[in-house]
Amino acid sequence: MRVVDNNTHDLIGYLSDISPQGFKLDCQKALTDDKDYSLRLDLTPEISDKPYISFVSRRVWGQPDPIDPYVYNEGFKIIKISPYDQGIFQRILEKYGLPESNW
């Protein structure tokens, strides 16, 4: 699933892992600031009839991907999300997530 910046509509990365603590993105470039981002997660029809959810997340870590030298792994935690979108996030977590973060 694609994740874009809500303000600029630039692609940030692709959801590669999700846990109750947050999520990991695979990005084409490293994000250097541990700051808050207004993000939009594009959804697939099997998750929701809504095309996307929006939330504010804080980048908490980043590192080069250990396998692909052209990808960066970036870790985020959600800071602010509406209750409805939180329910959708929970469905994504139940379908694709891990009970505990491995990162």
Side-chain angles (χ1 to χ4, degrees):
M1 290 184 237
R2 289 172 13 110
V3 177
V4 299
D5 185 299
N6 243 347
N7 300 316
T8 65
H9 304 287
D10 291 337
L11 176 67
I12 300 295
Y14 293 90
L15 187 68
S16 62
D17 200 357
I18 187 170
S19 78
Q21 294 79 33
F23 58 94
K24 180 173 74 170
L25 299 180
D26 287 343
C27 303
Q28 294 300 309
K29 62 180 182 176
L31 303 175
T32 57
D33 297 330
D34 290 345
K35 68 175 192 174
D36 293 355
Y37 290 84
S38 177
L39 299 176
R40 184 183 82 211
L41 173 64
D42 293 339
L43 302 174
T44 59
E46 67 265 7
I47 296 297
S48 175
D49 57 354
K50 188 176 175 181
Y52 62 88
I53 59 173
S54 295
F55 47 88
V56 176
S57 287
R58 180 167 297 140
R59 179 194 178 268
V60 293
W61 62 268
Q63 66 186 28
D65 186 89
I67 298 171
D68 187 342
Y70 301 105
V71 172
Y72 296 90
N73 303 139
E74 302 287 345
F76 290 83
K77 67 178 179 178
I78 294 179
I79 302 300
K80 183 178 178 184
I81 189 169
S82 75
Y84 185 79
D85 286 354
Q86 175 63 39
I88 295 171
F89 183 85
Q90 186 63 36
R91 278 195 302 255
I92 297 167
L93 178 61
E94 290 167 3
K95 186 169 177 108
Y96 301 110
L98 299 172
E100 294 181 22
S101 174
N102 288 338
W103 27 271

